[in-house]
Amino acid sequence: MNTGINTRLGGEKFNTQELLRTGHTLPLKGEKSAVVKGYGSELGNRKRVLGRANRKMISNKRILHLIDIAKSKGEKEIEKEFWEVFHCQRKIVTTNGRQHCNYCGRRLCSVCNNIREYILRSKFGPVFDTWKDPHYLVLTTKSVPARKLKSRMDAMYRAFKRINSKYQKRRQRGDKIEFKGIKTLECEFNPDKRWYNPHFNVLVPNKEVAELLLMEWLKLWGPKYVNRAGQYCEPVHSREKILLEVIKYCTKVFTDPDKDKEFKAGKEYKIYVKALYNIYCAMRGHRIFERFGFNLPENTPKREPKETEVNHSIKWKYSLKLMDWVGEDTASLLTNYVPDARLMDILENHIDTLLE
């Protein structure tokens, strides 16, 4: 059975300042030395090193198909964004047991999404932990074909903004209901019916806010566009699990077999790149992750690390053929990453370039 596409992404870049702190590099041409900025990533953490190689490989395999689609449609700006994903971490500098590289900051990049996910969890986790009775909602409308996807997403954002504005004004007038929460936009593709189902995943602090939000959503759209059975509203049972579910930005193109480290027998995994392209284009210009009704606690601003020139370093360049970074001087491999055979079969033989 085909699993379709389940994705969270957007065309705009997110804040790259946090990415820079994890390791930014400016190699000096023709020199053994390099200028590095940031703290870099620990090479000794084998799990992280292999995870990054895995995500880089998946991104490259997927993005080349999306580049072809953008070219065929004459979308130069989108094609440029895709090439930025392709070149993300193309070159790496290692020094003192750490690796430094440049990041694209694009939401179609699996590597940058993983970093983004960590940043959001660290920022919003402490706030979420203070909510005494958190509830999880899924707010959706009836599925639409590709030609209506962009207009439907735009309408969903306008609807949510209208509801939020209503209760924020009431709060300013003295209403005691704290209408607040966090939400992400997600979109599923059904390959059998060729329908798209955009929806919001929302976390709110209590049952009262959850029921109000659900009531307003149903009332605003009406039975022509939504039905109660299609919405979800339940108390949170596992805080850590649900927070990860709502804020994660990794792109699910085939039920995340690379995350689960296993494949379920009997399932046919496919990547529908044209559908993924349509979702990406429809989401451009929207904030995929948003908070509403509250501000994050003020933290002491972090000082940007200074650029440092290092004399003893090794420069590496990514090889599409080897799916690893090759040393410019040593000709050795940085990670010795070996992809899962089933995963490679999906990426090479089960990418659908026609269905949308």
Side-chain angles (χ1 to χ4, degrees), residues 54 89 125 147 166 191 207 213 218 269-270 284 334 356:
N54 189 53
Q89 294 200 54
R147 69 180 186 278
K166 175 181 177 179
K207 182 179 180 180
L213 181 53
L218 294 171
Y269 296 99
K270 275 195 176 184
R284 291 178 83 232
L334 178 62
E356 60 179 318

Side-chain angles (χ1 to χ4, degrees), residues 23-254:
H24 181 73
T25 180
L26 301 169
L28 299 177
K29 293 182 179 180
E31 299 289 341
K32 293 284 186 180
S33 61
V35 174
V36 297
K37 183 177 181 181
Y39 307 116
S41 302
E42 184 183 356
L43 282 171
N45 191 322
R46 185 67 178 160
K47 183 178 180 180
R48 287 187 181 179
V49 169
L50 291 177
R52 181 167 298 192
N54 189 53
R55 288 186 288 273
K56 173 64 176 172
M57 183 272 294
I58 292 173
S59 280
N60 276 5
K61 292 284 187 181
R62 185 175 65 220
I63 208 66
L64 288 173
H65 290 282
L66 292 169
I67 288 172
D68 288 339
I69 295 173
K71 282 183 178 179
S72 69
K73 294 179 178 291
E75 296 287 353
K76 297 293 184 181
E77 188 63 31
I78 296 177
E79 182 187 340
K80 181 181 176 181
E81 293 172 5
F82 291 162
W83 277 118
E84 288 181 17
V85 175
F86 179 80
H87 289 296
C88 182
Q89 294 200 54
R90 184 165 170 262
K91 293 183 178 181
I92 284 178
V93 172
T94 58
T95 179
N96 297 323
R98 305 187 76 83
Q99 66 179 35
H100 303 258
C101 54
N102 290 316
Y103 298 92
C104 68
R106 295 287 177 187
R107 289 196 173 97
L108 259 179
C109 178
S110 297
V111 177
C112 292
N113 283 342
N114 184 257
I115 300 170
R116 174 69 166 172
E117 181 182 313
Y118 170 79
I119 293 170
L120 289 175
R121 289 174 69 184
S122 62
K123 283 184 176 180
F124 288 89
V127 176
F128 182 56
D129 289 340
T130 65
W131 295 353
K132 294 182 179 180
D133 182 29
H135 274 60
Y136 172 57
L137 296 91
V138 175
L139 302 176
T140 187
T141 63
K142 293 180 180 178
S143 300
V144 294
R147 69 180 186 278
K148 294 183 178 180
L149 181 59
K150 175 63 176 174
S151 60
R152 177 58 56 84
M153 284 188 185
D154 293 345
M156 288 173 61
Y157 272 86
R158 289 194 300 269
F160 197 96
K161 182 178 180 180
R162 182 175 173 180
I163 296 170
N164 184 43
S165 296
K166 175 181 177 179
Y167 283 92
Q168 297 310 323
K169 289 179 181 178
R170 287 188 178 185
R171 191 171 174 183
Q172 291 172 4
R173 293 195 291 264
D175 196 318
K176 294 183 179 180
I177 298 176
E178 289 190 274
F179 195 84
K180 63 182 181 180
I182 57 177
K183 70 177 177 67
T184 55
L185 176 65
E186 184 178 357
C187 187
E188 295 175 335
F189 171 66
N190 185 317
D192 297 319
K193 298 181 179 180
R194 301 191 184 186
W195 285 349
Y196 295 79
N197 179 239
H199 54 276
F200 289 127
N201 297 307
V202 190
L203 283 174
V204 294
N206 53 57
K207 182 179 180 180
E208 182 181 25
V209 175
E211 291 180 343
L212 276 175
L213 181 53
L214 178 58
M215 177 195 71
E216 293 286 359
W217 185 261
L218 294 171
K219 180 181 176 181
L220 190 59
W221 283 97
K224 181 180 178 180
Y225 294 99
V226 301
N227 59 68
R228 177 62 182 88
Q231 320 306 309
Y232 181 85
C233 180
E234 294 290 341
V236 171
H237 300 293
S238 174
R239 288 177 179 257
E240 184 177 353
K241 181 179 179 180
I242 202 64
L243 180 63
L244 176 61
E245 175 65 25
V246 171
I247 70 174
K248 66 183 178 179
Y249 273 75
C250 53
T251 304
K252 296 180 180 177
V253 289
F254 38 71

Side-chain angles (χ1 to χ4, degrees), residues 305-316:
K306 296 180 179 179
E307 293 181 355
T308 305
E309 182 176 349
V310 292
N311 294 320
H312 303 286
S313 64
I314 302 175
K315 299 176 184 178
W316 309 79

